[in-house]
Amino acid sequence: MAHTDRQTMRRVLRREIAGTIGLLTDEHDFRAMRHYRTFTFDDHATYLRQVEDLLRTRALQGAHTTLALFDPQEYAEYCAAKGLDPDIPTNRTRFTAELATTGPTIPYEGQPLADLVPALVDEAVRQATWEYAATLLARLGACATCGEDIGRAAFTRASSLVARILETAPPGNRHLVCSVTGTPETLVAVLHSDDEANGATQLDEAEALEFTTVLALGLATQGPGGLVMRTTAHGASDRIYGWRLRGDGLEPLTAGEVFDAYCTDAESGDLISPESGVDYCFPPDLGPEGPAPVHQH
């Protein structure tokens, strides 16, 4: 009886342990890990099937699992910095445990691995975009004339603009895309906003932070860029409108400019048939003055 009780307690405790799997999402990273003697998989497709089987088994046992993006180069650098042998499995486990707190992760909730992999890659890109944009903002430093932190001022203005854009948008679900092309690399951020039954607006905080940071960078550097909004509501046509970044603010795009942007192939320049049930519009007024400029003298 005592032995059975101990087994039962272990099963209960097992369900209390959260786990993280460091996933090799592509063939290139998988081949890099095959250089280690203790990494025993020799086929990426088989490896992914085994991971999916493990995820399902843990879920059936009541265990919670998150997936993290395992980067072999980052792992090698991690081991070199800490003086660890990368060919020891426990060191891979230590690295994965740190990924759970510092890197992009997504929870396993029964989704097929074919859906989880692109979602995990997208999350990694989102986090990298935010980190890169935040670094560039911080490098702008303080104004030589007044000492104001240029990046912080730009972020404050961007936050106000995003709030005004959401406040003036029609009811429904909103999909915003901001692109900034004046930096060394083109940055693109996406923000989803849904109306709840009580009238409140639901936002993903991480998405909102990344989106606002990228917009702030565009405002601070006054480089080329733009912001486009698409709203979807039951029983109504989708509406698409937008702004171009102009100086330290936003300049509305005409309905014709929005139509041209959506109905022209970006690579070939050929015309594309417009979507049915979509209105290409002039954006709502954000206010006579809008939020304070980023930085003026």
Side-chain angles (χ1 to χ4, degrees):
M1 176 67 74
H3 177 69
T4 302
D5 287 345
R6 283 197 298 271
Q7 286 184 324
T8 301
M9 285 188 289
R10 288 197 189 102
R11 284 197 297 269
V12 172
L13 284 173
R14 208 172 288 129
R15 291 198 298 267
E16 300 292 327
I17 299 173
T20 302
I21 295 177
L23 186 66
L24 298 162
T25 58
D26 61 49
E27 188 75 38
H28 178 269
D29 287 346
F30 181 82
R31 287 198 302 269
M33 290 304 295
R34 289 196 62 203
H35 295 157
Y36 299 120
R37 178 185 54 81
T38 56
F39 186 79
T40 57
F41 288 97
D42 56 12
D43 178 74
H44 189 230
T46 301
Y47 160 81
L48 291 176
R49 284 196 298 271
Q50 292 294 326
V51 169
E52 188 159 28
D53 288 346
L54 175 60
L55 289 170
R56 289 171 179 163
T57 300
R58 285 180 53 82
L60 289 173
Q61 294 171 347
H64 175 77
T65 311
T66 58
L67 289 171
L69 193 67
F70 195 102
D71 186 315
Q73 182 176 346
E74 289 183 4
Y75 172 62
E77 293 170 354
Y78 167 86
C79 289
K82 293 185 175 293
L84 302 174
D85 182 354
D87 206 0
I88 296 178
T90 53
N91 291 334
R92 292 199 287 274
T93 303
R94 288 178 59 179
F95 177 68
T96 300
E98 292 203 15
L99 288 179
T101 59
T102 62
T105 61
I106 55 174
Y108 175 69
E109 297 173 337
Q111 316 95 311
L113 198 59
D115 296 336
L116 283 169
V117 169
L120 182 58
V121 172
D122 287 347
E123 178 65 15
V125 170
R126 184 199 60 74
Q127 181 168 317
T129 298
W130 170 73
E131 291 175 350
Y132 182 65
T135 298
L136 294 181
L137 266 182
R139 286 178 181 172
L140 295 175
C143 173
T145 302
C146 69
E148 182 179 21
D149 188 296
I150 298 173
R152 185 176 295 114
F155 188 88
T156 299
R157 178 160 171 77
S159 299
S160 299
L161 284 170
V162 171
R164 286 296 297 145
I165 288 169
L166 294 176
E167 289 169 3
T168 58
N173 298 332
R174 297 81 173 256
H175 179 83
L176 295 90
V177 179
C178 179
S179 61
V180 175
T181 58
T183 59
E185 295 184 24
T186 298
L187 299 181
V188 178
V190 177
L191 178 62
H192 299 89
S193 166
D194 298 331
D195 283 346
E196 296 183 326
N198 61 3
T201 299
Q202 181 181 8
L203 290 173
D204 181 278
E205 292 185 4
E207 267 193 1
L209 177 60
E210 179 209 348
F211 189 90
T212 305
T213 303
V214 170
L215 177 57
L217 182 63
L219 296 174
T221 59
Q222 300 190 7
L227 191 154
V228 176
M229 162 86 86
R230 181 171 187 149
T231 63
T232 303
H234 180 70
S237 298
D238 284 11
R239 300 183 65 187
I240 300 177
Y241 53 83
W243 299 262
R244 66 171 55 87
L245 271 62
R246 181 72 73 188
D248 57 7
L250 298 176
E251 178 181 272
L253 296 172
T254 67
E257 288 174 321
V258 176
F259 179 89
D260 289 343
Y262 269 80
C263 300
T264 303
D265 186 273
E267 295 183 359
S268 67
D270 295 337
L271 294 178
I272 303 172
S273 298
E275 294 182 63
S276 61
V278 173
D279 292 334
Y280 302 93
C281 315
F282 190 81
D285 186 5
L286 297 181
E289 297 295 334
V294 172
H295 196 79
Q296 284 188 344
H297 292 290

